[in-house]
Amino acid sequence: MNLKHALAPLLLAALIPLADAALLAIDVGHSKANPGAISARGQSEFEFNAGLAQAVFNHLQTHNIPALQIGQDGAMVVLRDRTAAAKKAQASFLLSL
């Protein structure tokens, strides 16, 4: 089983109690300009986190939990911009991977 797909249900289980809190924002946590460490398989943290963020987002959507992805395209570099995007969307919770 792919690690991203194994972690997504665990994160979902942790987030389900927050479902009544309205919108959940999921931040990839890295960018293409700052991709983070490279794994032994040659995958950057950005690539791994982007896949994990997508898997978590898909699981939330499957359970009808409103969610928003931040930084998925890799263009958002500044942390302040990420938190500002969550605040602008009126997210009740920000998960930064």
Side-chain angles (χ1 to χ4, degrees), residues 21-94:
L23 182 65
L24 303 177
I26 306 162
D27 172 29
V28 171
H30 280 282
S31 66
K32 289 181 180 175
N34 299 311
I38 304 297
S39 73
R41 294 182 180 156
Q43 186 178 41
S44 71
E45 282 184 82
F46 169 75
E47 293 169 328
F48 179 85
N49 289 359
L52 179 58
Q54 186 65 53
V56 170
F57 179 80
N58 292 344
H59 280 286
L60 291 170
Q61 295 295 294
T62 298
H63 289 80
N64 297 316
I65 297 172
L68 160 75
Q69 293 187 62
I70 296 174
Q72 190 69 16
D73 63 359
M76 195 174 290
V77 177
V78 180
L79 179 59
R80 245 175 292 138
D81 294 344
R82 296 165 185 271
T83 56
K87 186 174 183 178
K88 182 178 180 181
Q90 298 182 333
S92 300
F93 184 83
L94 172 61

